Amino acid sequence: MIALRRTVPLRRIPSLLGALPPPPPLTCSRPRLFTQNCQLLLISHSTPRPQLPFLSPSSHAGPSSIIRTRLGQWQLSRLLTTERKQYIRQQLWLGGKLVAITWTSTLCLVLSALYYHTRTVESKHPSPSEWSSVTRLNYRSARWNEDAGSQEMALVNWANAGDSWKVVIERLEDPNKDGQGIRELDDGGLYVADVGKVGLDVDEKSSAWRSGYFEALMGAARAAEHLDGWLNDRTRNIAFPPEVVIGPSNPNPRPCPPGAAAAPSEEDCIPAFEPPQKYYMKILTTRGFTTKERLTAALAYADWLDYKGLSESAGEMYRWGLDIAASPYLDPTKVVDTTTGVIPDRAARVSPNVLLASTSFAIHQARTSNVSAALSTFLSVLRARRALEEPSVTDSRTDSTTRPSGSPSLLNHARKLVTDSYPMALDNSDVPALRSPKSICEEAGLMAYVGEILFALASHNDGLGWTRDAVDAAESQLRAATNDEDAQQRCTECLDVALTNWHKMVEQLAENDVTGEERPGAWSFWGSMKKADPEKWKKELVFVEERTRKIKTELVERGMKKSASGSGGMLFG
């Protein structure tokens, strides 16, 4: 059996293994079953093998695909499937819409806030509508900077305010911008020594344009007064007071406050602003301004000269103001003496401008120790005010209808934000003055001035009498003028001055321990000194203090009631 098995040839045994199929080509694009990317297969539980999309090779198995496979980039291509790409596109589109909506809403809110702020400032400080947008923007900026000083613990940036006023003036005087139609007074213009070219002819412009131009010039003059002596650092364009500038003219400079810019060198500085007389003289020499506007500029310039210690120049400017106030009259000598400021006894139909100019000149005379002339002027003005005519029924009704009501309603506030009107008050300063609640308060102020002068001339009894009468008149008129805010404000100021003078007079007499009836002075030829009566003045001093406290309390309570009702603020601080 063994031999027989050895003789059987092996080739006759059939092959148990068939021929192996050839390997698939590399360019086959049909994926294997367990690498298909169908969502049904991915979530199906009946398949016996796991479905792993990242194990599937790329559909194009070329040389480049082999390189990507080696580099690992094929994983990213399998991760961004068709469904994921569509999902990402939807999310990106949704995110883009949200971003666009957010930025659009933010832009709309910012523009709305800017518009509300602009309209609020415009309603508070309206500007002529015929001005260009840039001019009106600078005008509002200047007024906004000046309003910062009215807030508590706030300082006015007069450098910024002055720059804004200068831009407004330059644009209004430029014929190519907002100054169409203005002309020079003479050929080549009018020149004033130490001032330069001044004076224009603005008669052809509207009253709103002229009023706005006047406000811009006065604003620039105010900024020039506050920046008098200041220096501007050319390297940084920052204004500094002269006390902190480092240079030969200031060997001991004052240190700058914490947080402020470093002090500049004197060689890098120039004057921060033009002198105020440039703008005052421009108002006084410009043709087209009203008498009231020119008088206001003259009195402001005279007050500035008084502040600088130029009393003689200030007196000449006050006399110029008297000439301006009396210019509308055919015969000014019958109304006021432009040399002394005294109003004649029988002067009729005196205008508010004449009363204001004479009162201001009398105050100047009192400041320069010319008390006798000041007393005569004050008495003449007081006599003229008491001789004023009472307003007619028509004038009273007109004043009551034009007087603004209490607190503005929400509708009025909204109307102010929408409308754009420059308020033009009717100038009645050239017409004869009428007796009004405010005029009575002015009389109380004049009585306080007369009492102060008499007391300074050692006529203590007369001075105290005039001062007591001034307090009574101002207090009674303050209680009577409940609907006139201007009269209340003026009466409050006069009452404050009279009470302060009364307190100082009595306090001085109490310290000197003399009676005020017969103390020798300029008004008594035969003077004598009586025995001191300290208790009298001490009692009167206590009475004055108690009366002052009661008046202040009453005014504060009235101001709180008005604040609660929204019709006004406190009258007495």
Side-chain angles (χ1 to χ4, degrees), residues 266-288:
E266 187 175 356
E267 57 270 12
D268 297 332
C269 295
I270 58 176
F273 213 78
E274 290 85 357
Q277 56 263 27
K278 173 182 177 181
Y279 301 100
Y280 288 133
M281 292 302 299
K282 184 172 290 189
I283 297 174
L284 294 174
T285 57
T286 295
R287 182 184 303 164

Side-chain angles (χ1 to χ4, degrees), residues 136-390:
R136 300 179 70 179
L137 178 62
N138 284 276
Y139 175 86
R140 290 191 295 265
S141 176
R143 296 299 298 270
W144 185 265
N145 285 325
E146 290 190 4
D147 279 350
S150 61
Q151 302 176 4
E152 186 177 1
M153 301 300 293
L155 298 177
V156 178
N157 192 339
W158 287 106
N160 290 344
D163 292 339
S164 299
W165 287 126
K166 286 175 63 177
V167 173
V168 173
I169 295 173
E170 291 174 358
R171 294 183 63 87
L172 291 178
E173 295 178 352
D174 190 353
N176 298 324
K177 294 180 181 178
D178 294 316
Q180 299 87 354
I182 62 174
R183 300 187 306 270
E184 296 180 352
L185 293 178
D186 298 323
D187 294 337
L190 179 64
Y191 287 85
V192 178
D194 299 332
V195 176
K197 185 178 179 180
V198 296
L200 294 172
D201 187 357
V202 296
D203 270 336
E204 295 185 0
K205 306 302 291 186
S206 64
S207 57
W209 191 98
R210 294 196 301 266
S211 297
Y213 182 47
F214 168 76
E215 289 186 11
L217 291 174
M218 290 297 295
R222 288 192 301 270
E225 290 181 359
H226 287 85
L227 295 176
D228 180 54
W230 281 49
L231 299 175
N232 186 26
D233 187 5
R234 292 175 294 181
T235 60
R236 293 174 292 176
N237 194 23
I238 303 176
F240 291 90
E243 296 83 9
V244 302
V245 178
I246 303 173
S249 61
N250 189 22
N252 298 317
R254 189 182 65 186
C256 294
S265 300
E266 187 175 356
E267 57 270 12
D268 297 332
C269 295
I270 58 176
F273 213 78
E274 290 85 357
Q277 56 263 27
K278 173 182 177 181
Y279 301 100
Y280 288 133
M281 292 302 299
K282 184 172 290 189
I283 297 174
L284 294 174
T285 57
T286 295
R287 182 184 303 164
F289 290 137
T290 63
T291 305
K292 177 66 175 178
E293 292 170 346
R294 295 173 60 215
L295 178 61
T296 301
L299 297 181
Y301 187 23
D303 187 57
W304 167 253
L305 293 175
D306 259 338
Y307 171 76
K308 298 297 289 184
L310 305 174
S311 301
E312 295 182 1
S313 300
E316 294 297 328
M317 187 55 59
Y318 279 114
R319 293 184 180 91
W320 192 357
L322 288 171
D323 292 333
I324 294 173
S327 59
Y329 294 92
L330 297 177
D331 190 1
T333 57
K334 295 182 179 181
V335 180
V336 62
D337 186 353
T338 56
T339 304
T340 61
V342 176
I343 300 176
D345 297 345
R346 297 182 178 180
R349 306 178 66 84
V350 181
S351 66
N353 288 335
V354 174
L355 296 173
L356 176 61
S358 297
T359 305
S360 302
F361 188 44
I363 295 175
H364 165 72
Q365 291 172 334
R367 288 176 178 174
T368 55
S369 301
N370 192 2
V371 290
S372 299
L375 182 60
S376 301
T377 307
F378 277 130
L379 291 175
S380 67
V381 176
L382 180 60
R383 181 177 58 248
R385 284 195 174 276
R386 289 180 175 177
L388 295 178
E389 298 180 358
E390 295 289 341

Side-chain angles (χ1 to χ4, degrees), residues 460-475:
H460 294 164
N461 186 42
D462 295 336
L464 282 173
W466 279 86
T467 305
R468 294 189 190 103
D469 293 342
V471 172
D472 295 338
E475 185 178 1

